[in-house]
Amino acid sequence: MITYPFTYAKPKSLSEAATLIAADPDAKILAGGQTLIPTMKQRLANPPTLVDISGLADLAFIRVDARTVTIGAATKHADVANSADVAKAIPALAFLAGEIGDPAVRHMGTIGGSIANNDPAADYPAAALALGATIKTTKREIAADEFFTGMFETALDEGEIVSEISFPRAEKAGYAKFPNPASRYAMVGVFVAKTGSGMRVAVTGAGPCVFRVPEMEAALTSNFTADAIAHVKVSADDLNSDLHGSSEYRAHLVTVMAKRAVTAALSG
């Protein structure tokens, strides 16, 4: 059996973690490990150093105030899903967290890892983009509209670590997804939010990267009902196509899930 040696580091603070990452450009952050560990097991990644931030208490928290829900990067999906404070402030966000993977994934995976990895089928990017979240890092604050840049790509610089995500509370919000029956990843997931800055509709799973649908946002601004977007069709061009579903099928699902998300928002 071929093995790949690596150095394992468990820093005691975020600043120590940042120092370790800065010292080795090829080092990888280990949080929940739900993507990195399988990738290493498949010999698709061989980082020389793993910097484990999963035990940093200052990265595992949920703070709710009158305007925002702020979640530390090392907070587990299960903690978000089971938080009464999150469920009261942004019910759709708690619901989304409860729909991620299975119990084992939800008790290991972290919100920061999901945001930083930006898997095309991950759930949290849709919530971040639809709610107009702000991603705070060890260097700066980045608006969600500028954070997600492409498939597995973000605006993060080398050595930059996500520390927390701040979600503005919405007047109404809903999330609906069509999950892959095996992985529970979103084949298509749509998060709809009526925010203080306007209507926002974000789609995950359908394309290489999470994206907004301006036509749906305009229609919902005029009439916040599921029927208002029933006629809005997303082009299948550039959408994902694989053995689980064609790009045309995913384009159809965007409208179906968006209608369900609006219905969920209205009933919440």
Side-chain angles (χ1 to χ4, degrees):
M1 179 178 178
I2 300 176
T3 60
Y4 297 96
F6 60 87
T7 299
Y8 173 81
K10 195 172 180 64
K12 296 180 179 180
S13 68
L14 182 58
S15 59
E16 183 184 350
T19 299
L20 289 169
I21 288 293
D24 186 348
D26 295 321
K28 294 293 184 182
I29 292 290
L30 176 65
Q34 298 305 287
T35 297
L36 180 58
I37 297 302
T39 302
M40 292 176 65
K41 290 175 69 175
Q42 294 173 45
R43 304 298 190 262
L44 298 176
N46 180 28
T49 303
L50 291 183
V51 180
D52 186 353
I53 64 171
S54 62
L56 296 182
D58 53 349
L59 291 184
F61 63 85
I62 296 173
R63 294 196 302 262
V64 177
D65 59 32
R67 300 181 63 182
T68 60
V69 173
T70 303
I71 304 175
T75 305
K76 304 291 195 295
H77 307 322
D79 293 329
V80 178
N82 296 326
S83 169
D85 290 336
V86 175
K88 182 178 180 180
I90 311 177
L93 183 59
F95 172 78
L96 176 149
E99 292 291 294
I100 297 174
D102 55 27
V105 169
R106 290 193 293 274
H107 282 82
M108 286 298 296
T110 64
I111 186 172
S114 176
I115 294 291
N117 190 49
N118 192 23
D119 189 294
D123 297 271
Y124 274 124
L129 190 57
L131 290 167
T134 298
I135 294 88
K136 183 178 180 180
T137 77
T138 47
K139 296 181 179 181
R140 53 183 168 151
E141 294 184 354
I142 311 171
D145 283 304
E146 301 172 357
F147 185 83
F148 305 103
T149 59
M151 181 181 288
F152 295 106
E153 295 181 352
T154 70
L156 291 172
D157 292 332
E158 290 292 334
E160 192 170 11
I161 305 172
V162 174
S163 58
E164 63 184 53
I165 303 94
S166 182
F167 299 89
R169 296 172 72 154
E171 181 179 332
K172 292 184 181 297
Y175 181 65
K177 79 170 178 178
F178 190 89
N180 179 298
S183 68
R184 306 298 296 173
Y185 272 106
M187 287 183 60
V188 170
V190 181
F191 200 108
V192 173
K194 188 175 184 180
T195 73
S197 60
M199 191 64 60
R200 298 171 69 96
V201 178
V203 180
T204 189
C209 182
V210 62
F211 62 92
R212 291 173 62 182
V213 187
E215 297 83 0
M216 288 187 177
E217 294 174 348
L220 291 171
T221 298
S222 300
N223 180 19
F224 193 64
T225 65
D227 289 341
I229 55 174
H231 69 284
V232 180
K233 307 299 179 185
V234 174
S235 172
D237 295 345
D238 300 322
L239 294 189
N240 297 332
S241 184
D242 53 33
L243 75 165
H244 302 296
S246 66
S247 57
E248 292 79 11
Y249 181 56
R250 282 184 164 87
H252 170 73
L253 281 177
V254 170
T255 301
V256 174
M257 293 301 110
K259 290 171 61 180
R260 293 182 184 179
V262 171
T263 299
L266 291 170
S267 63

